[in-house]
């Protein structure tokens, strides 16, 4: 356990710094754009407040996308890095610690974004904007459904990171059997074909499982109960994919993957 905790601590430290850099650069960019607008249009506190909140809201989407991709890249680099593969630990512990710290780093970024967003909101003068926890009927929102969405997002994120790693390791394995397998054009074709084939298999299998359970018209009559059932089943299906991808990744790490740096 202490070995796994030490490995996880080192992995988390690298990804923690990466997330801080991503958010820091985003905030610096927003401040620079606001200063430029002040210099060109003059200072107006209401306008600056409104623009800062709007720009931060838009930037969250970009930051999340960039950080998601950077964490996926970090995953692959760690699994093929001499610094980590030569550590006296098992491939299972390395992979588990890697994917766990990736999720924790992404969750850490969401917390930071929320804190910064709340600060910007209360600094801004938005008297017309109020936070109302009640919906239009005056009742509290269905937190059970919200929790299911949150769980689906967590499992879906882990599945995507695991799937990206599967594709990367599979391509490295295939290229090892091909002449000129490491050339850029060959790798590009392999990435395109393997990714396309993986998406076809994933969509076909997942879609047919949902059809088998619900039939073709299961979303025609929308109810909260049906939505809840769909979310639970979707989370279960994605979890099965996570297990499959994890098994494949650990197998490739044990049998076929060599360090690249």
């Amino acid at each position: 356990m202490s070995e796994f905790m030490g490995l996880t601590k080192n992995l988390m430290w690298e990804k923690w710094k990466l997330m801080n850099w991503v958010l820091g650069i985003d905030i610096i960019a927003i401040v620079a754009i606001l200063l430029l607008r002040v210099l060109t249009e003059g200072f107006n506190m209401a306008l600056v407040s409104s623009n800062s909140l709007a720009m931060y809201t838009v930037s969250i989407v970009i930051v999340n996308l960039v950080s998601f991709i950077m964490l996926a890249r970090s995953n692959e680099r760690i699994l093929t890095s001499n610094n980590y593969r030569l550590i006296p630990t098992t491939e299972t512990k390395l992979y588990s610690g890697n994917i766990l710290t990736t999720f924790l780093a992404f969750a850490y970024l969401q917390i930071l974004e929320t804190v910064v967003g709340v600060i910007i909101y209360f600094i801004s003068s938005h008297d017309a904007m109020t936070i109302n926890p009640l919906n239009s009927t005056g009742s509290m929102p269905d937190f059970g459904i919200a929790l299911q969405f949150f769980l689906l997002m967590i499992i879906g994120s882990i599945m995507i990171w695991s799937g990206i790693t599967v594709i990367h390791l599979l391509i490295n394995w295939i290229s090892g059997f091909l002449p000129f397998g490491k050339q850029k054009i060959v790798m590009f074709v392999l990435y395109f074909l393997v990714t396309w084939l993986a998406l076809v298999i994933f969509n076909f299998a997942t879609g047919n499982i949902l059809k088998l359970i619900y039939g073709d018209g299961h979303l025609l009559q929308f109810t909260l109960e049906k939505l809840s059932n769909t979310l639970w089943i979707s989370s279960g299906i994605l979890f099965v994919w996570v297990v499959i991808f994890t098994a494949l990744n650990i197998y490739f790490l044990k049998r076929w993957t060599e360090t690249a740096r």
Side-chain angles (χ1 to χ4, degrees):
M1 180 62 69
S2 59
E3 175 191 346
F4 178 77
M5 292 301 295
L7 175 64
T8 303
K9 182 179 179 180
N10 289 334
L11 291 171
M12 187 62 200
W13 173 250
E14 289 190 12
K15 296 171 184 178
W16 177 80
K17 290 190 295 183
L18 179 62
M19 294 300 96
N20 286 337
W21 272 107
V22 170
L23 186 62
I25 292 173
D26 176 55
I27 294 176
I28 292 173
I30 292 175
V31 172
I33 294 174
L34 288 175
L35 288 176
L36 182 62
R37 296 197 64 172
V38 168
L39 291 175
T40 56
E41 301 177 10
F43 180 78
N44 184 313
M45 186 59 191
L47 184 61
V48 170
S49 299
S50 176
N51 286 340
S52 61
L53 185 60
M55 289 174 60
Y56 184 72
T57 303
V58 173
S59 72
I60 286 177
V61 178
I62 301 174
V63 168
N64 284 334
L65 178 60
V66 171
S67 61
F68 197 93
I69 295 172
M70 293 183 70
L71 285 171
R73 183 172 179 268
S74 176
N75 270 345
E76 299 178 11
R77 292 179 63 86
I78 287 171
L79 295 177
T80 57
S81 169
N82 287 321
N83 293 336
Y84 286 99
R85 291 301 300 279
L86 295 180
I87 293 176
T89 186
T90 64
E91 286 80 2
T92 301
K93 289 182 179 180
L94 176 61
Y95 180 82
S96 301
N98 194 25
I99 201 72
L100 174 63
T101 52
T102 296
F103 168 72
L104 291 177
F106 195 69
Y108 166 75
L109 177 65
Q110 307 310 306
I111 295 173
L112 280 184
E113 288 178 339
T114 302
V115 171
V116 174
V118 169
I119 293 174
I120 294 177
Y121 176 84
F122 283 107
I123 291 177
S124 304
S125 54
H126 288 270
D127 298 331
M129 298 178 62
T130 58
I131 302 175
N132 183 9
L134 303 178
N135 57 24
S136 59
T137 61
S139 61
M140 295 299 291
D142 194 327
F143 287 104
I145 296 294
L147 182 62
Q148 288 174 279
F149 268 115
F150 184 67
L151 178 63
L152 182 65
M153 291 176 61
I154 292 175
I155 299 176
S157 298
I158 295 175
M159 185 209 67
I160 293 174
W161 284 319
S162 302
I164 291 173
T165 303
V166 166
I167 292 174
H168 177 74
L169 297 181
L170 180 61
I171 289 172
N172 284 344
W173 173 65
I174 295 174
S175 64
F177 293 96
L178 298 176
F180 313 108
K182 297 300 181 181
Q183 290 189 0
K184 290 184 178 180
I185 184 63
V186 176
M187 295 296 290
F188 174 80
V189 173
L190 278 177
Y191 267 104
F192 176 80
L193 292 177
V194 172
T195 303
W196 174 80
L197 182 60
L199 289 175
V200 169
I201 294 174
F202 175 81
N203 291 332
F204 177 81
T206 304
N208 278 279
I209 291 173
L210 289 174
K211 286 182 181 179
L212 182 64
I213 296 173
Y214 288 108
D216 293 332
H218 70 281
L219 291 178
L220 295 179
Q221 296 180 345
F222 176 82
T223 62
L224 285 180
E225 183 179 359
K226 284 188 175 182
L227 176 60
S228 177
N229 291 335
T230 301
L231 290 173
W232 280 123
I233 292 174
S234 298
S235 296
I237 293 173
L238 295 186
F239 179 77
V240 172
W241 280 113
V242 169
V243 173
I244 294 172
F245 291 157
T246 299
L248 289 172
N249 285 327
I250 293 175
Y251 172 78
F252 279 120
L253 286 174
K254 288 182 176 180
R255 300 291 183 179
W256 300 104
T257 304
E258 297 181 357
T259 57
R261 59 191 68 84

